[in-house]
Amino acid sequence: MNKQIRPIITTYFIHSITYFLLLLFCYAALSKALDYEHFQIQLAQSPLLSAYAGLIAPTIIGLELIIVLLLCIPTFRIIGLYASFSLMIGFTVYIYMILYYSDFIPCSCGGILEKLSWTEHLVFNILVSICTLVAVILQVKRKSIPYIKFGIYTLLPSLSMVAILLMLFLTSEHLIATTHSFIRRFPPHPIQKDRVYKLPANSYYLAGSTQQSLYLGNTSTPLVLSQLDSSFTIMHSQLWHPDTLSLPFRSLRFQVQAPYVYSYDGTVPILFRGHLSDTTLHTLSYREAYFSQLAILDSIHFAVRTQHGTTQQYVLGTLHPKKDTPVKLYDHLLQKQVDGLFDSDGLLLSDPDLGQFLYRYHYRNPLLVMDANLHLLRTLHTIDTISQVQLSVHHFRDGRHQLKTPPLRVNQAAAVHKGILFNQSNLKGRYEDHSMWQRAFIIDCYRTDDQYYIGSFYLPNPDQLHLQQLIVADPYLYVLIGNQVFRYRLAPSIRQHFQQGKPKT
């Protein structure tokens, strides 16, 4: 090549790459800054950067603007090229780790590269990094910069960038899963809408499920149990017959725990049991324990939530029908913070596959995991930061309690299945789109064998109705909203956390 033409081509190449990088980083920084909230949300969904989104967002924008400034000034242009190469190496390594080492791949980034897939984005970054390195080498030759200095200025920042990314990769997942940073993660496509059935009234509730059917009770006709077939097209209703009808029933409800059907009313109090192949309900327990909630593991293990006869505070207890001491209360499980009643309100759940009971508070974040005899196994927490209830209670002289103001409700509906808690949260996490909360429910998923947050997903709520209940029966999630039952298929990313059954104690 002509010696006179070669310097021209070199200069032209260096200038072209410099201007390209200048435009690329300028556009990237400005687009992030102008839509800063959305940029933070994107970082919060990254499997590598979630826990550090608040710090990394302004850092990246600042670095890109500094590089733009360096590239604009001829004296510092070589430094700008060094910095551009190191930052592009960081972006390239980040995308590579997302593709090959992440548990899930988030949605592609926005801006000028919005239409590129992650793989295409990786190829783009590699090409830009190579071109930038060639421009640096040509500039080094032109300015006769020692190669030792060239090696230091390219290798050290690049290796530092890779080391930082590795540190973030190793620590971010742990922080999100085990601490209370309240940053939610939304794996792509965790559920898929499968079926919907419109009920004739809004007085139905979910009573249980099997592999073939979903069972529903009806508060208007408390002795009728309905069965919705697996195709979600045919609902069959059956009248059940208790062995006694002379009692003052007030809130008779069904629970299906195959192969049995249970019917109960804690205000009487009474507990019936029947078989799914029959329509007769036999008295299993009568006047042994008044209760406001009942959870069933099997035909001999029951847990109740009731009020202590002396303190009137909520307590948990076991119910063993027909035994000499059928009821045993454990008043140490629910911790009093204000009055022991409103502050201890929550939801009692059972996980028959693991032989465990759970109690999840409404107004604070602890989750109690107990064995079949209500021995506390562990206390976990939801990812929000509300460990202390935020409510004010007025105490009357006659012993009655009344809320002075509406309390901050942390949790709503919930279901547990094979060691995973599906919890409807009432609180918006950091970096979340406020508009989504107006048209969807948020469901957080947790493992119950350890303090581990799996991820979250949205349930559409276009009519802004109330979510009454959740039931999980692998591979489905059933949701009752208004007078409609929705069936969603759970993705493998959720189902892989289901645990195998353990011997019941």
Side-chain angles (χ1 to χ4, degrees), residues 93-232:
V93 172
Y94 167 73
I95 295 174
Y96 181 83
M97 294 170 72
I98 286 286
L99 284 172
Y100 296 102
Y101 295 98
S102 173
D103 289 338
F104 70 91
I105 299 176
C107 297
S108 184
C109 64
I112 195 171
L113 304 176
E114 182 178 9
K115 301 302 180 182
L116 297 183
S117 68
W118 281 95
T119 302
E120 292 169 340
H121 200 163
L122 177 64
V123 173
F124 174 84
N125 280 14
I126 292 174
L127 293 176
V128 173
S129 298
I130 293 173
C131 291
T132 304
L133 180 61
V134 172
V136 171
I137 293 173
L138 294 176
Q139 188 77 328
V140 165
K141 288 184 176 180
R142 286 181 60 185
K143 293 184 175 293
S144 300
I145 298 174
Y147 282 103
I148 294 178
K149 184 179 292 186
F150 160 73
I152 293 174
Y153 287 169
T154 54
L155 286 178
L156 284 184
S158 300
L159 291 176
S160 299
M161 190 72 68
V162 173
I164 291 172
L165 283 170
L166 286 174
M167 181 196 69
L168 297 177
F169 173 74
L170 294 173
T171 59
S172 182
E173 284 288 287
H174 175 76
L175 289 172
I176 291 298
T178 62
T179 64
H180 305 292
S181 54
F182 205 14
I183 301 174
R184 286 195 172 91
R185 294 270 298 280
F186 296 89
H189 315 299
I191 59 172
Q192 181 180 4
K193 188 176 178 181
D194 183 71
R195 294 282 192 276
V196 60
Y197 187 87
K198 189 171 183 179
L199 300 166
N202 59 6
S203 54
Y204 285 87
Y205 61 89
L206 303 180
S209 63
T210 63
Q211 290 293 331
Q212 296 77 29
S213 305
L214 176 68
Y215 292 89
L216 302 100
N218 191 331
T219 55
S220 299
T221 53
L223 290 176
V224 174
L225 182 65
S226 300
Q227 179 182 357
L228 189 58
D229 72 338
S230 58
S231 67
F232 252 53

Side-chain angles (χ1 to χ4, degrees), residues 25 118 166 297 300 304:
F25 288 124
W118 281 95
L166 286 174
L297 280 184
I300 60 173
V304 296

Side-chain angles (χ1 to χ4, degrees), residues 397-415:
R397 292 183 179 179
D398 60 3
R400 292 181 296 115
H401 298 185
Q402 181 177 321
L403 290 172
K404 291 182 179 179
T405 57
L408 174 65
R409 179 146 183 163
V410 177
N411 302 304
Q412 294 281 359

Side-chain angles (χ1 to χ4, degrees), residues 50 52 62 77 124 175 183 208 245 247 251 277 292 333 336 365 367 419 428 435 457 466 469 487 499:
S50 300
Y52 307 101
R77 187 162 293 164
F124 174 84
L175 289 172
I183 301 174
L245 288 172
L247 301 174
S251 58
S277 61
S292 55
L333 290 172
K336 175 182 176 181
N365 62 17
L367 170 69
K428 185 167 74 74
S435 63
F457 57 85
H466 178 65
Q469 279 182 279
R487 187 172 74 183
Q499 303 172 45

Side-chain angles (χ1 to χ4, degrees), residues 396-435:
F396 293 93
R397 292 183 179 179
D398 60 3
R400 292 181 296 115
H401 298 185
Q402 181 177 321
L403 290 172
K404 291 182 179 179
T405 57
L408 174 65
R409 179 146 183 163
V410 177
N411 302 304
Q412 294 281 359
V416 63
H417 182 71
K418 292 185 178 181
I420 298 183
L421 175 71
F422 296 79
N423 183 63
Q424 180 195 359
S425 176
N426 222 30
L427 301 180
K428 185 167 74 74
R430 295 171 63 188
Y431 317 125
E432 290 179 21
D433 187 355
H434 180 72
S435 63

